[in-house]
Amino acid sequence: MAKKVLVLGEVRDGVLRNVSFEAIAAAKQIADGGEIVGALIGNNVSQLASSLVEYGADRVVVVEHPNLASYTSDGFSQAFMAINEEVKPEAIVFGHTSLGKDLSPKLASKLQSGLISDVTVIEGNGDDALFVRPIYSGKAFEKVKTKEGIVFVTIRPNNIAPLERNTSRTGDVVSISVDIQNLRTIIKEVVRKAATGVDLSEAKVVVAGGRGVKSAEGFEPLRELANLLGGAVGASRGACDADYCDYSLQIGQTGKVVTPDLYIAAGISGAIQHLAGMSNSKVIVAINKDPEANIFKVADYGIVGDLFEVVPLLIEEFKAL
Ligand code: FAD
C-alpha cells in the first residue's frame, strides 16, 4: 500500500545536509508511489524548500521561529510534532546524524511508534520494505520489518544514494505558525573551533591516524594527504586519548560513524570499537607496521610498513597525478 512519508530536511549553517536528500530516496522506497513531504525547521530556512522538491519531495512544510535558530530537542520536537499533526504521515525518515539520533527517540516516544535506527540498506518497497541495520558494533546485520504503526526510520549518511536532482520539479511550500515556547535550553551563543575543512561524517575520503602516529605533529602528513584527496582527517580513540588530536575526530563505537568511498587507516590496530565506525567504508586501505594487525582483516588493500615512510610516498604519488 502506498504511504505518505515525512522527511526531515536537516539544515546546518544555512545549508541542507546531503543526508536530507538521501532520506528522500529512502522515503521514495517506503512510500511505494505515495506522497513524500519534506519538513524544514529553523529560522529563515524556507528558501531551502525548493532543493528538497528538486531531489524528490512532493511538497514541503516549514516551521520558522527565532527560537529554532539553533537546534534544541525541546524546540525541534515542538515544531516537528506540529508538522506531523498537519501531514499525518504513515512513515518518517531522518538522517542518523547527531541531530537525528537525539531527536528521533524523543519523537518516537511522543508518537508511540517504534524506531528503526541506523539503517544502511532498504530492501523492497512499501509494506514489504526490509530495513537492514548493523548490530553488535557492525559484526552482524539484522533485517527489520514493521508490523503496525508509523514506520520511523533513521538512515546512516552516505549509504543510500540520493535521487538525481531535477531542477524543473515543483511542489507546494506551506509555512505553519508554531509558537515555540517553554524551552528548557536556550542556545545563547555557538562558539566554533577553527574550521577543519571537509565535514568528517560526509567526507568521501577519510585519512585516519591512530596511536601509531605518535604525536600531534605526526598528524601533519595525514592532513596533507587528506587535503590532497579532498577528504577529512579522522582518528582512533587511542590517538584522541593520547592527546594527538581532538575528540571531534574520533571514529568508532563511541565516536563518529563514517562510510566514505575511501578510508585510509594509518597506525590503527583495528580494535572492534574502531571498526564499528568505519568497516562499512567502500574501500579500506590500512597502513601498519605489524602484519598481524586486526585492521588488515577488514582492509581491501594492506600496506605493511612504517606510516612515516608510506604516507609521504603516497603524497608524492598523488601530487604527481
Ligand atoms: P593501538 O591499539 O595502540 O594501535 C596502534 C597501531 O599502530 C598498532 O597496530 C601498531 O602496530 C601501529 N603502529 C605503530 N607505529 C607505527 C608506524 N610507525 N607505522 C605504522 N603502524 C604503526 N576506539 C576507537 O578507535 N573508537 C571508538 O569509538 C572507541 N570506543 C571505545 C568504547 C569502549 C567502551 C572501549 C572499551 C574502547 C573503545 N575504543 C575505541 C578503544 C579501542 O578499544 C582501542 O583501544 C583503540 O581503538 C586503539 O587505538 P589505536 O588503534 O590507535 O591504538
Side-chain angles (χ1 to χ4, degrees), residues 13 27 222:
D13 297 334
L222 272 57

Side-chain angles (χ1 to χ4, degrees), residues 124-277:
N125 298 294
D127 289 333
D128 296 328
L130 273 180
F131 300 97
V132 183
R133 59 187 296 274
I135 52 171
Y136 304 125
S137 298
K139 273 196 156 177
F141 289 84
E142 67 174 2
K143 293 183 180 180
V144 191
K145 190 172 175 353
T146 47
K147 287 208 307 209
E148 57 187 356
I150 294 177
V151 182
F152 198 162
V153 176
T154 67
I155 59 152
R156 186 182 281 202
N158 273 341
N159 277 263
I160 296 170
L163 305 172
E164 206 166 314
R165 185 175 195 167
N166 177 352
T167 48
S168 59
R169 279 192 100 240
T170 54
D172 281 350
V173 179
V174 180
S175 277
I176 55 174
S177 159
V178 186
D179 193 17
I180 306 292
Q181 293 302 343
N182 302 323
L183 301 185
R184 279 169 289 191
T185 315
I186 305 264
I187 310 288
K188 296 256 184 199
E189 189 190 359
V190 177
V191 181
R192 288 177 193 280
K193 296 202 166 167
T196 50
V198 182
D199 177 359
L200 182 55
S201 319
E202 293 190 347
K204 296 282 176 216
V205 177
V206 173
V207 182
R211 210 173 275 149
V213 172
K214 295 192 174 63
S215 66
E217 298 72 51
F219 264 87
E220 272 319 308
L222 272 57
R223 240 170 237 121
E224 190 178 346
L225 182 58
N227 284 342
L228 208 54
L229 299 174
V233 172
S236 70
R237 178 152 144 192
C240 300
D241 284 346
D243 222 7
Y244 302 161
C245 58
D246 192 83
Y247 279 102
S248 60
L249 301 191
Q250 185 185 318
I251 291 165
Q253 189 184 326
T254 44
K256 294 201 165 77
V257 174
V258 296
T259 36
D261 293 340
L262 173 63
Y263 188 89
I264 302 178
I268 294 178
S269 59
I272 181 70
Q273 296 90 351
H274 186 77
L275 302 187

Side-chain angles (χ1 to χ4, degrees), residues 86-106:
E86 167 88 12
V87 176
K88 297 193 171 48
E90 280 118 10
I92 299 172
V93 186
F94 281 20
H96 195 67
T97 56
S98 304
L99 186 154
K101 283 188 254 185
D102 189 59
L103 189 58
S104 57
K106 183 170 180 139

Side-chain angles (χ1 to χ4, degrees), residues 2-3 8 14 38 65 73 78 85 109 115 131 138 167 185 231 242 264 275 293 306:
K3 288 187 193 306
L8 180 68
H65 193 283
S73 61
Q78 286 178 35
E85 189 51 36
S109 131
L115 177 63
F131 300 97
T167 48
T185 315
I264 302 178
L275 302 187
D306 186 333

